[in-house]
Amino acid sequence: MINNASLGEIGRMMLEADTILLFPHVSPDGDALGSCAALCRALRGEGRTAWILLDEPVPEYLSFMDTEYCTEDMDVVNSPDICVCVDCSEESRFADRAGKFNAGKTKICLDHHATSGSFGDYYYIDGEEAATAQIIFKLLKETGLPVSPDVAESIYVGISTDTGSFQHSNTTADTHRITAELFELGIDHTKLVVNLYQSSSYSRLKMESEIMGKMELLSDGRAAMSYVTQEMLDENEALLEDCEGVVDILRNIRGVELAAFLKEKNGEIKVSMRAKSYGNVDSIAVKYGGGGHVKAAGCTLSMSMDEARDLMRRELCEYWEK
Amino acid sequence: MINNASLGEIGRMMLEADTILLFPHVSPDGDALGSCAALCRALRGEGRTAWILLDEPVPEYLSFMDTEYCTEDMDVVNSPDICVCVDCSEESRFADRAGKFNAGKTKICLDHHATSGSFGDYYYIDGEEAATAQIIFKLLKETGLPVSPDVAESIYVGISTDTGSFQHSNTTADTHRITAELFELGIDHTKLVVNLYQSSSYSRLKMESEIMGKMELLSDGRAAMSYVTQEMLDENEALLEDCEGVVDILRNIRGVELAAFLKEKNGEIKVSMRAKSYGNVDSIAVKYGGGGHVKAAGCTLSMSMDEARDLMRRELCEYWEK
């Protein structure tokens, strides 16, 4: 853990401010958005002006969350007292909004990525926390801010999605203790689970089964790889976000230790990787300018899909030769 | 909750006995087997003779558990001091072993099925508990029996499988608090998750995608149904247990409230049903001599697959006409 202020101190700074702007990372996931939503709502509850600044719409699978505190309007607050980047390991994770972030009178960074550097005037980064939402929960408690059922639900979204429903190796006793508290604070668990895990579209199921058909098993079944192109998506009337869980399905095959899923997006290839028990996919991602965690990491390749598949096939096969 | 003895009293009875035989339900699942394994191991740790009596092999997906305490030998203990049926709502759930159960000097029933009747000399049945494993955990603690990492892992198997990885509506604050304790007791979380959720066989993936191809959406997409025959299994070299999660995949489709999955087994049709938010599949299952919980229930139909599909199609469509 690295920090130059306690969570209570950071919380009190926010309460001393009038305007707070929150910056989740690009392609915000459940933890980035859930963490921001919880903090934003709690600050608004104390009469502060608080917004979540995005440069893209909220992903459809998270749109069930109350998103009226999200805006793409860079001028929503002209000269914010505090800017907070949330769940971002580096400035490149909110590049198009970095100018606005740096215009904040005070800049704060809250994150749980072990690879996160210290930036901003104040930072609290703890790679031991399963989700940034756990840090936000502790911040609210240490600052004495009330945790309403709505705030608790946003925290739950962050924890549940970043731990893969309490299955990823980042899950700890603390994760379950906090979640027990969220239940006691009155979360609507069924609503959350239905929206997060029981709302696959029919096109998603079709897409998944086509991607499974293109799967390659490598290295005697120790690695699995598949991919999706824009053409495949178009044919199935599916969206890239319909492929969200595919890399986990690949990893979940018996005997598979490393999984890679390649997605074509805006002419580049996004690679999502997973390790199951002992593997380290962060080490592969970092080689290509990406990063993440030991068991879940990713990178972006500027090449064709065929070239990217060749490259990743080589990386996965060579993993055991080192 | 119905009981005629406290968990501490039941635990002390077991400690006063020399020989204890445990009876999980037929087709034992993670909760039945995990609960029995935890209790069996804890009793053996106190020097008691304890066995889990089965009339079939342990399902392959649970075979990673230490199963040396499971036996199919009806004579493993000749005249047991105590027989305990675990996670069985009625005697028919262990019909082929009921004679042996009733030969026990003292008979005890531990269960979390709300529909469970009181039978045995002593019983403790709490439909509010997410899993029988939670009851076993409380029994061990109230009796002062040590919970070793191995025992904690068996409890985890019960809780995690019966709550669908903390997603089913039976999950409570208590579930998460107990799980936090299990982490502190030293469970190997990665090992458990890999074995329970990340060990799908390739044939299972193939089987699942074929079953998805046979899916029917009914009632304007509010119900989903599919099926598997012995012939389909044979063609894919798959086992019935490879279809374990299919009913959940059906329920997880956006807009689907009720899901039914029909499996041919020994010339009969086993129906597994799920409800998502407000539906009640127990009410359908009970009509055909089955049962379970409001959101997860099942029944067995003695008819052909075509007849069973017709019947269930009608049941699912008529559900909204009541």
Side-chain angles (χ1 to χ4, degrees):
Chain A
M1 187 184 77
I2 58 164
N3 71 316
N4 65 358
S6 73
L7 288 173
E9 284 164 351
I10 291 174
R12 283 186 290 279
M13 285 177 214
M14 293 183 191
L15 287 183
E16 280 160 22
D18 288 322
T19 53
I20 303 106
L21 217 48
L22 305 172
F23 295 72
H25 59 69
V26 286
S27 304
D29 59 9
D31 191 26
L33 218 52
S35 295
C36 284
L39 189 52
C40 191
R41 196 182 268 277
L43 290 169
R44 286 189 179 192
E46 300 299 306
R48 303 300 178 278
T49 297
W51 288 96
I52 303 173
L53 186 63
L54 299 173
D55 47 33
E56 65 203 308
V58 169
E60 212 222 314
Y61 78 101
L62 293 172
S63 62
F64 74 94
M65 294 174 71
D66 182 0
T67 51
E68 55 86 38
Y69 37 66
C70 293
T71 181
E72 293 179 53
D73 175 9
M74 288 280 188
D75 299 320
V76 65
V77 176
N78 264 329
S79 183
D81 293 329
I82 294 186
C83 286
V84 193
C85 68
V86 179
D87 202 38
C88 301
S89 56
E90 48 185 45
E91 254 190 44
S92 67
R93 297 286 284 146
F94 55 101
D96 291 350
R97 291 162 289 154
K100 187 74 188 179
F101 176 77
N102 286 313
K105 289 171 201 153
T106 300
K107 294 169 282 293
I108 295 172
C109 172
L110 298 171
D111 191 24
H112 79 124
H113 290 92
T115 49
S116 187
S118 56
F119 57 99
D121 303 310
Y122 299 97
Y123 49 86
Y124 186 100
I125 294 153
D126 189 349
E128 300 288 308
E129 298 280 357
T132 298
Q134 292 189 180
I135 296 174
I136 302 296
F137 183 69
K138 290 175 182 178
L139 183 152
L140 297 179
K141 286 184 71 174
E142 288 186 26
T143 317
L145 285 169
V147 181
S148 67
D150 286 331
V151 170
E153 288 181 0
S154 295
I155 302 279
Y156 183 91
V157 169
I159 292 176
S160 176
T161 55
D162 248 30
T163 59
S165 199
F166 308 97
Q167 291 185 10
H168 295 166
S169 60
N170 56 357
T171 310
T172 63
D174 212 26
T175 306
H176 282 286
R177 253 192 312 266
I178 291 171
T179 308
E181 285 190 62
L182 301 177
F183 272 78
E184 278 156 356
L185 287 163
I187 59 168
D188 183 343
H189 179 242
T190 296
K191 177 188 78 181
L192 294 165
V193 166
V194 165
N195 280 289
L196 291 174
Y197 303 110
Q198 302 179 2
S199 298
S200 305
S201 63
Y202 184 62
S203 57
R204 180 182 191 132
L205 281 182
K206 276 196 303 180
M207 197 65 250
E208 279 181 3
S209 86
E210 184 170 337
I211 293 167
M212 287 304 127
K214 298 197 180 290
M215 181 184 72
E216 291 178 69
L217 281 178
L218 305 165
S219 251
D220 299 323
R222 288 178 297 185
M225 181 171 97
S226 194
Y227 66 96
V228 68
T229 61
Q230 193 55 52
E231 200 182 329
M232 286 162 66
L233 291 171
D234 293 344
E235 276 169 15
N236 285 283
E237 295 175 32
L239 299 169
L240 207 49
E241 63 189 68
D242 288 326
C243 308
E244 188 75 23
V246 166
V247 68
D248 296 310
I249 300 176
L250 294 172
R251 178 210 44 204
N252 291 354
I253 298 169
R254 190 179 302 155
V256 166
E257 175 59 31
L258 301 181
F261 180 54
L262 285 64
K263 297 166 280 191
E264 188 185 336
K265 187 180 180 185
N266 303 331
E268 292 186 312
I269 308 299
K270 301 267 179 195
V271 183
S272 298
M273 287 180 283
R274 294 286 185 276
K276 185 182 280 178
S277 299
Y278 58 87
N280 177 353
V281 285
D282 191 44
S283 68
I284 303 175
V286 163
K287 275 174 76 172
Y288 299 99
H293 309 279
V294 170
K295 291 191 175 164
C299 57
T300 302
L301 303 173
S302 298
M303 54 182 78
S304 73
M305 179 60 87
D306 282 346
E307 287 166 335
R309 288 175 62 203
D310 282 344
L311 179 70
M312 291 313 300
R313 197 180 290 120
R314 222 163 38 235
E315 282 293 341
L316 292 173
C317 291
E318 283 170 6
Y319 187 85
W320 280 275
E321 287 165 20
K322 276 176 283 193
Chain B
M1 187 184 78
I2 59 164
N3 71 315
N4 66 358
S6 72
L7 289 173
E9 284 162 353
I10 290 174
R12 282 187 292 278
M13 284 177 216
M14 293 183 192
L15 287 183
E16 280 160 21
D18 288 321
T19 53
I20 302 108
L21 216 49
L22 306 173
F23 294 73
H25 59 69
V26 286
S27 303
D29 59 9
D31 191 25
L33 218 53
S35 295
C36 284
L39 189 51
C40 191
R41 197 183 268 278
L43 290 169
R44 287 190 179 192
E46 300 299 306
R48 302 300 177 277
T49 298
W51 288 96
I52 303 173
L53 185 63
L54 299 174
D55 47 32
E56 65 202 310
V58 169
E60 213 221 313
Y61 78 101
L62 293 172
S63 62
F64 75 94
M65 294 173 71
D66 181 1
T67 51
E68 55 86 36
Y69 37 67
C70 293
T71 180
E72 292 179 53
D73 175 8
M74 286 281 186
D75 300 319
V76 66
V77 177
N78 264 328
S79 184
D81 293 329
I82 293 186
C83 286
V84 193
C85 69
V86 179
D87 202 38
C88 301
S89 55
E90 49 185 47
E91 254 190 43
S92 67
R93 298 286 284 146
F94 55 102
D96 290 349
R97 289 163 290 153
K100 187 74 186 178
F101 176 77
N102 286 314
K105 290 171 201 153
T106 300
K107 293 169 281 294
I108 295 172
C109 173
L110 298 171
D111 192 23
H112 79 123
H113 290 92
T115 50
S116 187
S118 55
F119 57 99
D121 304 310
Y122 299 98
Y123 49 86
Y124 187 99
I125 294 155
D126 189 349
E128 299 289 307
E129 296 281 357
T132 298
Q134 292 189 179
I135 296 174
I136 302 296
F137 183 69
K138 290 174 182 178
L139 184 152
L140 297 178
K141 285 183 72 177
E142 288 185 25
T143 316
L145 286 169
V147 181
S148 67
D150 286 331
V151 170
E153 288 180 0
S154 295
I155 301 279
Y156 183 90
V157 169
I159 292 176
S160 176
T161 55
D162 248 31
T163 60
S165 199
F166 308 97
Q167 290 185 12
H168 294 168
S169 60
N170 55 357
T171 310
T172 64
D174 212 25
T175 306
H176 282 287
R177 254 191 312 263
I178 291 171
T179 307
E181 286 190 61
L182 300 177
F183 272 80
E184 278 157 355
L185 287 162
I187 59 169
D188 183 342
H189 180 243
T190 296
K191 177 188 78 180
L192 293 166
V193 165
V194 165
N195 280 290
L196 291 175
Y197 303 111
Q198 302 179 3
S199 299
S200 304
S201 63
Y202 184 60
S203 58
R204 181 182 190 131
L205 281 181
K206 276 196 303 180
M207 197 65 251
E208 278 181 4
S209 87
E210 184 171 339
I211 292 168
M212 287 304 128
K214 298 199 180 288
M215 181 184 72
E216 292 178 68
L217 282 178
L218 305 165
S219 252
D220 300 324
R222 287 177 298 184
M225 181 171 96
S226 194
Y227 66 96
V228 68
T229 60
Q230 192 54 51
E231 200 183 328
M232 287 162 67
L233 291 170
D234 293 344
E235 275 168 15
N236 285 282
E237 295 176 32
L239 298 169
L240 206 49
E241 63 189 68
D242 288 326
C243 309
E244 188 75 23
V246 166
V247 68
D248 295 311
I249 300 177
L250 294 172
R251 179 212 43 205
N252 291 354
I253 297 168
R254 190 180 301 155
V256 167
E257 175 58 31
L258 301 181
F261 179 54
L262 285 63
K263 297 166 279 190
E264 188 185 337
K265 187 181 180 186
N266 304 331
E268 293 185 311
I269 309 299
K270 302 267 179 195
V271 184
S272 298
M273 288 180 282
R274 294 286 185 276
K276 186 182 279 176
S277 300
Y278 58 87
N280 177 354
V281 284
D282 191 42
S283 67
I284 303 176
V286 163
K287 274 174 75 173
Y288 299 100
H293 310 280
V294 170
K295 291 191 176 162
C299 56
T300 301
L301 303 174
S302 298
M303 54 181 79
S304 72
M305 180 58 89
D306 282 348
E307 288 166 334
R309 288 174 62 204
D310 282 345
L311 178 70
M312 291 313 300
R313 196 181 290 119
R314 221 160 42 231
E315 282 292 342
L316 292 172
C317 289
E318 283 170 8
Y319 187 84
W320 281 275
E321 285 164 21
K322 278 176 282 193

